[in-house]
mmCIF file of all heavy atoms in Angstrom:
data_model
loop_
_atom_site.group_PDB
_atom_site.id
_atom_site.type_symbol
_atom_site.label_atom_id
_atom_site.label_comp_id
_atom_site.label_asym_id
_atom_site.label_seq_id
_atom_site.Cartn_x
_atom_site.Cartn_y
_atom_site.Cartn_z
ATOM 1 N N ASP A 1 1.845 0.396 29.200
ATOM 2 C CA ASP A 1 1.821 -1.015 29.405
ATOM 3 C C ASP A 1 1.896 -1.823 28.027
ATOM 4 O O ASP A 1 1.738 -2.996 28.091
ATOM 5 C CB ASP A 1 0.450 -1.394 30.091
ATOM 6 C CG ASP A 1 -0.802 -0.875 29.425
ATOM 7 O OD1 ASP A 1 -0.653 -0.116 28.417
ATOM 8 O OD2 ASP A 1 -1.844 -1.279 29.881
ATOM 9 N N HIS A 2 2.106 -1.094 26.956
ATOM 10 C CA HIS A 2 2.243 -1.762 25.699
ATOM 11 C C HIS A 2 3.396 -1.253 24.859
ATOM 12 O O HIS A 2 3.770 -0.044 24.978
ATOM 13 C CB HIS A 2 0.933 -1.667 24.838
ATOM 14 C CG HIS A 2 -0.166 -2.484 25.300
ATOM 15 N ND1 HIS A 2 -1.006 -2.173 26.383
ATOM 16 C CD2 HIS A 2 -0.554 -3.736 24.821
ATOM 17 C CE1 HIS A 2 -1.958 -3.091 26.472
ATOM 18 N NE2 HIS A 2 -1.666 -4.078 25.608
ATOM 19 N N ILE A 3 3.956 -2.103 24.016
ATOM 20 C CA ILE A 3 4.965 -1.749 23.049
ATOM 21 C C ILE A 3 4.555 -2.256 21.676
ATOM 22 O O ILE A 3 4.230 -3.478 21.621
ATOM 23 C CB ILE A 3 6.415 -2.241 23.411
ATOM 24 C CG1 ILE A 3 6.799 -1.682 24.783
ATOM 25 C CG2 ILE A 3 7.409 -1.844 22.381
ATOM 26 C CD1 ILE A 3 8.119 -2.323 25.253
ATOM 27 N N TYR A 4 4.623 -1.444 20.679
ATOM 28 C CA TYR A 4 4.253 -1.831 19.309
ATOM 29 C C TYR A 4 5.484 -1.767 18.419
ATOM 30 O O TYR A 4 6.109 -0.700 18.265
ATOM 31 C CB TYR A 4 3.149 -0.955 18.747
ATOM 32 C CG TYR A 4 1.968 -0.829 19.628
ATOM 33 C CD1 TYR A 4 1.841 0.019 20.681
ATOM 34 C CD2 TYR A 4 0.851 -1.728 19.471
ATOM 35 C CE1 TYR A 4 0.753 0.113 21.546
ATOM 36 C CE2 TYR A 4 -0.290 -1.621 20.247
ATOM 37 C CZ TYR A 4 -0.365 -0.756 21.293
ATOM 38 O OH TYR A 4 -1.447 -0.656 22.097
ATOM 39 N N VAL A 5 5.903 -2.871 17.881
ATOM 40 C CA VAL A 5 7.097 -2.904 17.064
ATOM 41 C C VAL A 5 6.819 -3.709 15.726
ATOM 42 O O VAL A 5 6.110 -4.777 15.778
ATOM 43 C CB VAL A 5 8.282 -3.562 17.827
ATOM 44 C CG1 VAL A 5 7.927 -4.953 18.303
ATOM 45 C CG2 VAL A 5 9.516 -3.578 16.959
ATOM 46 N N ASN A 6 7.324 -3.116 14.679
ATOM 47 C CA ASN A 6 7.225 -3.888 13.382
ATOM 48 C C ASN A 6 8.359 -4.957 13.356
ATOM 49 O O ASN A 6 9.556 -4.619 13.443
ATOM 50 C CB ASN A 6 7.390 -3.001 12.192
ATOM 51 C CG ASN A 6 7.123 -3.630 10.825
ATOM 52 O OD1 ASN A 6 7.467 -4.786 10.633
ATOM 53 N ND2 ASN A 6 6.394 -2.966 9.992
ATOM 54 N N PRO A 7 8.006 -6.271 13.391
ATOM 55 C CA PRO A 7 9.008 -7.262 13.500
ATOM 56 C C PRO A 7 9.969 -7.374 12.326
ATOM 57 O O PRO A 7 11.006 -8.062 12.402
ATOM 58 C CB PRO A 7 8.259 -8.608 13.676
ATOM 59 C CG PRO A 7 6.944 -8.270 13.034
ATOM 60 C CD PRO A 7 6.712 -6.803 13.199
ATOM 61 N N LEU A 8 9.711 -6.698 11.228
ATOM 62 C CA LEU A 8 10.563 -6.776 10.085
ATOM 63 C C LEU A 8 11.750 -5.788 10.189
ATOM 64 O O LEU A 8 12.886 -6.063 9.649
ATOM 65 C CB LEU A 8 9.849 -6.413 8.765
ATOM 66 C CG LEU A 8 8.750 -7.451 8.228
ATOM 67 C CD1 LEU A 8 8.065 -6.931 7.043
ATOM 68 C CD2 LEU A 8 9.431 -8.773 7.969
ATOM 69 N N VAL A 9 11.573 -4.740 10.942
ATOM 70 C CA VAL A 9 12.565 -3.642 11.186
ATOM 71 C C VAL A 9 12.883 -2.993 9.908
ATOM 72 O O VAL A 9 12.681 -1.798 9.759
ATOM 73 C CB VAL A 9 13.785 -4.194 11.876
ATOM 74 C CG1 VAL A 9 14.782 -3.088 12.138
ATOM 75 C CG2 VAL A 9 13.453 -4.910 13.217
ATOM 76 N N ILE A 10 13.456 -3.678 8.909
ATOM 77 C CA ILE A 10 13.692 -3.129 7.605
ATOM 78 C C ILE A 10 12.649 -3.711 6.643
ATOM 79 O O ILE A 10 12.525 -4.945 6.504
ATOM 80 C CB ILE A 10 15.149 -3.553 7.086
ATOM 81 C CG1 ILE A 10 16.188 -2.845 8.081
ATOM 82 C CG2 ILE A 10 15.379 -3.139 5.703
ATOM 83 C CD1 ILE A 10 17.644 -3.319 7.839
ATOM 84 N N ILE A 11 11.952 -2.827 5.983
ATOM 85 C CA ILE A 11 10.801 -3.306 5.099
ATOM 86 C C ILE A 11 11.192 -3.203 3.742
ATOM 87 O O ILE A 11 11.459 -2.076 3.128
ATOM 88 C CB ILE A 11 9.579 -2.459 5.340
ATOM 89 C CG1 ILE A 11 9.256 -2.479 6.855
ATOM 90 C CG2 ILE A 11 8.364 -2.859 4.522
ATOM 91 C CD1 ILE A 11 8.094 -1.536 7.261
ATOM 92 N N PRO A 12 11.378 -4.279 2.990
ATOM 93 C CA PRO A 12 11.811 -4.277 1.559
ATOM 94 C C PRO A 12 10.856 -3.509 0.584
ATOM 95 O O PRO A 12 11.397 -2.783 -0.231
ATOM 96 C CB PRO A 12 11.873 -5.769 1.176
ATOM 97 C CG PRO A 12 12.141 -6.457 2.502
ATOM 98 C CD PRO A 12 11.296 -5.722 3.516
ATOM 99 N N ILE A 13 9.593 -3.661 0.787
ATOM 100 C CA ILE A 13 8.592 -2.949 -0.054
ATOM 101 C C ILE A 13 7.666 -2.170 0.849
ATOM 102 O O ILE A 13 6.834 -2.799 1.516
ATOM 103 C CB ILE A 13 7.793 -3.937 -0.954
ATOM 104 C CG1 ILE A 13 8.721 -4.753 -1.932
ATOM 105 C CG2 ILE A 13 6.770 -3.099 -1.815
ATOM 106 C CD1 ILE A 13 7.949 -5.706 -2.778
ATOM 107 N N LYS A 14 7.887 -0.858 0.956
ATOM 108 C CA LYS A 14 7.134 -0.075 1.890
ATOM 109 C C LYS A 14 5.750 0.383 1.260
ATOM 110 O O LYS A 14 4.725 0.401 1.957
ATOM 111 C CB LYS A 14 7.879 1.153 2.305
ATOM 112 C CG LYS A 14 9.156 0.885 2.959
ATOM 113 C CD LYS A 14 9.911 2.091 3.387
ATOM 114 C CE LYS A 14 11.227 1.807 4.077
ATOM 115 N NZ LYS A 14 12.220 1.164 3.301
ATOM 116 N N GLU A 15 5.810 0.681 -0.080
ATOM 117 C CA GLU A 15 4.638 1.229 -0.705
ATOM 118 C C GLU A 15 4.419 0.481 -2.030
ATOM 119 O O GLU A 15 5.397 0.101 -2.661
ATOM 120 C CB GLU A 15 4.762 2.713 -0.969
ATOM 121 C CG GLU A 15 4.895 3.558 0.318
ATOM 122 C CD GLU A 15 4.977 5.101 -0.015
ATOM 123 O OE1 GLU A 15 4.959 5.459 -1.277
ATOM 124 O OE2 GLU A 15 4.950 5.896 0.905
ATOM 125 N N ASN A 16 3.182 0.357 -2.405
ATOM 126 C CA ASN A 16 2.743 -0.308 -3.644
ATOM 127 C C ASN A 16 2.959 0.674 -4.750
ATOM 128 O O ASN A 16 2.252 1.730 -4.844
ATOM 129 C CB ASN A 16 1.365 -0.811 -3.606
ATOM 130 C CG ASN A 16 0.969 -1.565 -4.782
ATOM 131 O OD1 ASN A 16 1.749 -1.777 -5.776
ATOM 132 N ND2 ASN A 16 -0.255 -2.171 -4.882
ATOM 133 N N PRO A 17 3.844 0.430 -5.722
ATOM 134 C CA PRO A 17 3.980 1.375 -6.891
ATOM 135 C C PRO A 17 2.891 1.213 -7.879
ATOM 136 O O PRO A 17 2.835 2.057 -8.783
ATOM 137 C CB PRO A 17 5.380 0.883 -7.429
ATOM 138 C CG PRO A 17 5.480 -0.482 -7.151
ATOM 139 C CD PRO A 17 4.788 -0.709 -5.817
ATOM 140 N N PHE A 18 2.067 0.244 -7.749
ATOM 141 C CA PHE A 18 0.942 -0.033 -8.681
ATOM 142 C C PHE A 18 -0.356 0.206 -8.010
ATOM 143 O O PHE A 18 -0.994 -0.634 -7.367
ATOM 144 C CB PHE A 18 1.066 -1.416 -9.215
ATOM 145 C CG PHE A 18 2.418 -1.819 -9.707
ATOM 146 C CD1 PHE A 18 3.178 -2.749 -9.044
ATOM 147 C CD2 PHE A 18 2.897 -1.284 -10.814
ATOM 148 C CE1 PHE A 18 4.434 -3.148 -9.409
ATOM 149 C CE2 PHE A 18 4.254 -1.614 -11.252
ATOM 150 C CZ PHE A 18 4.926 -2.558 -10.562
ATOM 151 N N THR A 19 -0.811 1.528 -8.137
ATOM 152 C CA THR A 19 -2.066 1.929 -7.458
ATOM 153 C C THR A 19 -3.177 2.315 -8.472
ATOM 154 O O THR A 19 -4.236 2.451 -8.058
ATOM 155 C CB THR A 19 -1.801 2.994 -6.489
ATOM 156 O OG1 THR A 19 -1.234 4.156 -7.153
ATOM 157 C CG2 THR A 19 -0.848 2.553 -5.351
ATOM 158 N N ALA A 20 -2.744 2.596 -9.701
ATOM 159 C CA ALA A 20 -3.688 3.031 -10.674
ATOM 160 C C ALA A 20 -4.795 1.956 -10.893
ATOM 161 O O ALA A 20 -4.519 0.809 -10.776
ATOM 162 C CB ALA A 20 -3.113 3.356 -12.028
ATOM 163 N N THR A 21 -6.021 2.402 -11.234
ATOM 164 C CA THR A 21 -7.127 1.436 -11.501
ATOM 165 C C THR A 21 -6.770 0.490 -12.717
ATOM 166 O O THR A 21 -7.056 -0.661 -12.677
ATOM 167 C CB THR A 21 -8.438 2.143 -11.835
ATOM 168 O OG1 THR A 21 -8.703 3.085 -10.787
ATOM 169 C CG2 THR A 21 -9.584 1.223 -12.011
ATOM 170 N N GLU A 22 -6.133 1.151 -13.702
ATOM 171 C CA GLU A 22 -5.711 0.403 -14.834
ATOM 172 C C GLU A 22 -4.405 0.819 -15.431
ATOM 173 O O GLU A 22 -3.933 1.924 -15.032
ATOM 174 C CB GLU A 22 -6.757 0.392 -16.040
ATOM 175 C CG GLU A 22 -6.947 1.798 -16.608
ATOM 176 C CD GLU A 22 -7.930 1.795 -17.723
ATOM 177 O OE1 GLU A 22 -8.386 0.740 -18.171
ATOM 178 O OE2 GLU A 22 -8.211 2.929 -18.225
ATOM 179 N N ARG A 23 -3.795 -0.057 -16.175
ATOM 180 C CA ARG A 23 -2.454 0.348 -16.739
ATOM 181 C C ARG A 23 -2.496 0.013 -18.228
ATOM 182 O O ARG A 23 -2.878 -1.003 -18.610
ATOM 183 C CB ARG A 23 -1.275 -0.402 -16.028
ATOM 184 C CG ARG A 23 0.127 -0.123 -16.531
ATOM 185 C CD ARG A 23 1.196 -0.860 -15.722
ATOM 186 N NE ARG A 23 2.495 -0.664 -16.324
ATOM 187 C CZ ARG A 23 3.324 0.372 -16.045
ATOM 188 N NH1 ARG A 23 2.930 1.316 -15.267
ATOM 189 N NH2 ARG A 23 4.479 0.474 -16.611
ATOM 190 N N LYS A 24 -1.956 0.948 -19.011
ATOM 191 C CA LYS A 24 -1.981 0.839 -20.501
ATOM 192 C C LYS A 24 -0.657 0.229 -21.037
ATOM 193 O O LYS A 24 -0.646 -0.091 -22.221
ATOM 194 C CB LYS A 24 -2.181 2.249 -21.138
ATOM 195 C CG LYS A 24 -3.488 2.905 -20.686
ATOM 196 C CD LYS A 24 -3.521 4.333 -21.131
ATOM 197 C CE LYS A 24 -4.730 4.980 -20.523
ATOM 198 N NZ LYS A 24 -4.651 6.479 -20.663
ATOM 199 N N LEU A 25 0.365 0.130 -20.192
ATOM 200 C CA LEU A 25 1.604 -0.429 -20.613
ATOM 201 C C LEU A 25 1.971 -1.699 -19.743
ATOM 202 O O LEU A 25 1.452 -1.856 -18.706
ATOM 203 C CB LEU A 25 2.715 0.645 -20.451
ATOM 204 C CG LEU A 25 2.626 1.873 -21.259
ATOM 205 C CD1 LEU A 25 3.672 2.907 -20.850
ATOM 206 C CD2 LEU A 25 2.767 1.543 -22.746
ATOM 207 N N PRO A 26 2.806 -2.556 -20.342
ATOM 208 C CA PRO A 26 3.305 -3.656 -19.490
ATOM 209 C C PRO A 26 4.148 -3.196 -18.387
ATOM 210 O O PRO A 26 4.430 -2.033 -18.318
ATOM 211 C CB PRO A 26 4.059 -4.545 -20.521
ATOM 212 C CG PRO A 26 4.470 -3.542 -21.597
ATOM 213 C CD PRO A 26 3.384 -2.530 -21.637
ATOM 214 N N ILE A 27 4.551 -4.139 -17.478
ATOM 215 C CA ILE A 27 5.431 -3.881 -16.414
ATOM 216 C C ILE A 27 6.817 -4.603 -16.761
ATOM 217 O O ILE A 27 6.847 -5.731 -17.027
ATOM 218 C CB ILE A 27 4.882 -4.392 -15.132
ATOM 219 C CG1 ILE A 27 3.658 -3.639 -14.709
ATOM 220 C CG2 ILE A 27 5.951 -4.220 -13.957
ATOM 221 C CD1 ILE A 27 2.931 -4.245 -13.526
ATOM 222 N N GLU A 28 7.906 -3.832 -16.754
ATOM 223 C CA GLU A 28 9.238 -4.347 -17.069
ATOM 224 C C GLU A 28 10.108 -4.087 -15.862
ATOM 225 O O GLU A 28 10.420 -2.902 -15.572
ATOM 226 C CB GLU A 28 9.714 -3.737 -18.288
ATOM 227 C CG GLU A 28 8.985 -4.020 -19.568
ATOM 228 C CD GLU A 28 9.533 -3.389 -20.829
ATOM 229 O OE1 GLU A 28 9.631 -2.161 -20.866
ATOM 230 O OE2 GLU A 28 9.805 -4.164 -21.760
ATOM 231 N N PHE A 29 10.580 -5.116 -15.148
ATOM 232 C CA PHE A 29 11.518 -4.925 -14.139
ATOM 233 C C PHE A 29 12.973 -4.886 -14.732
ATOM 234 O O PHE A 29 13.159 -5.509 -15.824
ATOM 235 C CB PHE A 29 11.416 -6.027 -13.126
ATOM 236 C CG PHE A 29 10.174 -5.989 -12.274
ATOM 237 C CD1 PHE A 29 9.055 -6.721 -12.642
ATOM 238 C CD2 PHE A 29 10.073 -5.207 -11.154
ATOM 239 C CE1 PHE A 29 7.880 -6.696 -11.803
ATOM 240 C CE2 PHE A 29 8.945 -5.094 -10.407
ATOM 241 C CZ PHE A 29 7.876 -5.817 -10.747
ATOM 242 N N PRO A 30 13.912 -4.287 -14.089
ATOM 243 C CA PRO A 30 15.300 -4.214 -14.643
ATOM 244 C C PRO A 30 15.994 -5.521 -14.749
ATOM 245 O O PRO A 30 16.765 -5.743 -15.648
ATOM 246 C CB PRO A 30 15.964 -3.231 -13.759
ATOM 247 C CG PRO A 30 15.269 -3.225 -12.398
ATOM 248 C CD PRO A 30 13.843 -3.551 -12.847
#
């Protein structure tokens, strides 16, 4: 009696690449 669907279908960011408690370096995107 139920259907569960992710309405985004395609997810641009699936996982967080920043999970460490702290970071010693800056973040540089391309």
Side-chain angles (χ1 to χ4, degrees):
D1 56 357
H2 282 84
I3 301 174
Y4 304 86
V5 57
N6 190 317
L8 293 176
V9 182
I10 296 172
I11 303 173
I13 301 178
K14 298 181 181 65
E15 296 181 357
N16 186 357
F18 309 111
T19 57
T21 305
E22 63 177 355
R23 182 176 172 85
K24 300 165 186 170
L25 296 172
I27 296 170
E28 296 177 303
F29 289 99

